[in-house]
């Protein structure tokens, strides 16, 4: 996902992706090496883990991404499923638009 979004940002001039933060894409990648997950029989390729940060050009674009991505919206890392959540949803739990509070982004 990180590489796909990063490639979208760098190869398409009209991409709504502003930045992608993931250890393999950062200039400081060498600092993450000691913490890289080793390969296992189930996941033979070593990796940096499942967390990444994506910044979009607008709130509307961000909302469209989360609404259509197809992952579970949840702040739980203990399950065997893919999930995602917006930072402000984790921190504040609400999105205030037009004077009304909404329970999701």
């Amino acid at each position: 996902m990180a590489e796909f979004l990063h490639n979208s940002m760098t190869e398409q001039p009209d991409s709504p992706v502003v930045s992608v933060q993931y250890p393999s894409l950062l200039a400081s990648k060498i600092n993450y090496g000691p913490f890289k997950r080793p390969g296992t029989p189930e996941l033979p390729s070593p990796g940096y883990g499942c967390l990444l940060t994506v910044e979009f050009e607008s709130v509307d674009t961000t909302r469209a991404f989360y609404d259509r991505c197809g992952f579970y919206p949840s702040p739980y890392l203990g399950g065997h499923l893919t999930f995602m959540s917006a930072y402000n949803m984790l921190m504040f739990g609400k999105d205030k638009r037009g004077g009304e509070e909404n329970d999701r982004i």
Side-chain angles (χ1 to χ4, degrees):
M1 177 69 80
E3 289 179 18
F4 173 79
L5 292 169
H6 179 75
N7 290 341
S8 165
M9 177 184 79
T10 57
E11 296 171 3
Q12 299 175 15
D14 62 341
S15 173
V17 179
V18 173
S19 77
V20 178
Q21 303 292 315
Y22 189 71
S24 65
L25 303 171
L26 301 175
S28 58
K29 175 182 173 178
I30 193 161
N31 297 329
Y32 295 93
F35 305 103
K36 194 173 187 179
R37 177 190 49 77
T40 64
E42 295 83 22
L43 297 167
S45 297
Y48 291 101
C50 60
L51 299 176
L52 70 124
T53 299
V54 182
E55 181 182 351
F56 294 98
E57 66 183 355
S58 70
V59 173
D60 288 337
T61 303
T62 305
R63 190 171 288 118
F65 175 80
Y66 281 97
D67 286 347
R68 292 174 182 89
C69 201
F71 296 140
Y72 297 99
S74 168
Y76 178 64
L77 284 174
H80 297 288
L81 47 96
T82 301
F83 77 93
M84 60 189 230
S85 59
Y87 175 77
N88 64 334
M89 187 172 82
L90 284 174
M91 295 305 297
F92 307 111
K94 304 253 182 213
D95 175 33
K96 293 183 181 183
R97 287 181 266 164
E100 296 178 23
E101 287 192 14
N102 297 300
D103 290 332
R104 54 186 289 276
I105 284 234

